[in-house]
Amino acid sequence: MIHGRLADALAQPGQYPAVISRALALLATLDLAALPAGRHPLEGDVMFLLIQEPLTGEFESKRPEAHVQHADIQLLLAGEEVYGVALAEPGLQVLEDLRDRHDIAFFGVPQREARITLRPGEFLVFWPGELHRPCCAAGSPAPIRKAVVKIHRSLFETHR
């Protein structure tokens, strides 16, 4: 997992793997406030952007998730969002497995889970297999807006 600020990442190129730096640079070229919610291609099907406008909820109502084929860059654009983050735990119960169709599985509560609060302009990067619990409320449930870049794992192998 990486926690950073978009402005800092752009000011210090080369501090992240090349494909992460490239994705962050692509985000900086877009008018993210004007993009409608939904899916937007960045590099075809191997790197794309999701603009999401969810309502945050109680921490306990959200489920930890992980992906197999994609890394996530989750950049908060508006509001405040809390994440649960945890290392993968052998034997952690899979509550819902959608990895074959949607590259996501939802898990039971890990034994050791930290919380991170994002504010606008901050991002988190989750590698395939890393547990994260997004869309948790910092206080009362509230609307947020975020950009999620999905990066297929093949880009980490071919673009070094």
Side-chain angles (χ1 to χ4, degrees), residues 41-80:
L42 295 176
E43 293 183 9
D45 288 335
V46 293
M47 185 188 302
F48 56 92
L49 169 65
L50 301 171
I51 296 293
Q52 299 176 341
E53 297 177 332
L55 183 67
T56 61
E58 297 295 325
F59 190 84
E60 294 74 20
S61 73
K62 303 298 180 181
R63 300 182 295 177
E65 63 184 57
H67 313 287
V68 174
Q69 296 300 322
H70 293 88
D72 281 359
I73 300 175
Q74 301 215 9
L75 170 67
L76 190 63
L77 303 173
E80 195 170 49

Side-chain angles (χ1 to χ4, degrees), residues 18-151:
V19 69
I20 298 295
S21 294
R22 190 168 74 246
L24 294 171
L26 284 170
L27 286 176
T29 68
L30 301 172
D31 183 356
L32 297 172
L35 277 178
R39 183 176 169 150
H40 306 274
L42 295 176
E43 293 183 9
D45 288 335
V46 293
M47 185 188 302
F48 56 92
L49 169 65
L50 301 171
I51 296 293
Q52 299 176 341
E53 297 177 332
L55 183 67
T56 61
E58 297 295 325
F59 190 84
E60 294 74 20
S61 73
K62 303 298 180 181
R63 300 182 295 177
E65 63 184 57
H67 313 287
V68 174
Q69 296 300 322
H70 293 88
D72 281 359
I73 300 175
Q74 301 215 9
L75 170 67
L76 190 63
L77 303 173
E80 195 170 49
E81 181 180 17
V82 174
Y83 283 78
V85 296
L87 298 173
E89 294 178 5
L92 187 61
Q93 181 184 11
V94 176
L95 301 177
E96 186 176 8
D97 190 347
L98 303 172
R99 289 175 281 203
D100 289 342
R101 293 182 310 208
H102 301 290
D103 190 36
I104 192 168
F106 297 97
F107 293 85
V109 177
Q111 290 183 8
R112 294 180 53 203
E113 185 175 21
R115 295 184 189 194
I116 296 175
T117 301
L118 286 190
R119 291 176 181 80
E122 295 181 359
F123 64 88
L124 291 168
V125 177
F126 297 104
W127 308 112
E130 288 188 327
L131 290 171
H132 52 288
R133 187 190 306 223
C135 299
C136 300
S140 298
I144 60 171
R145 181 173 168 90
K146 64 182 181 174
V148 178
V149 178
K150 305 293 276 182
I151 303 172

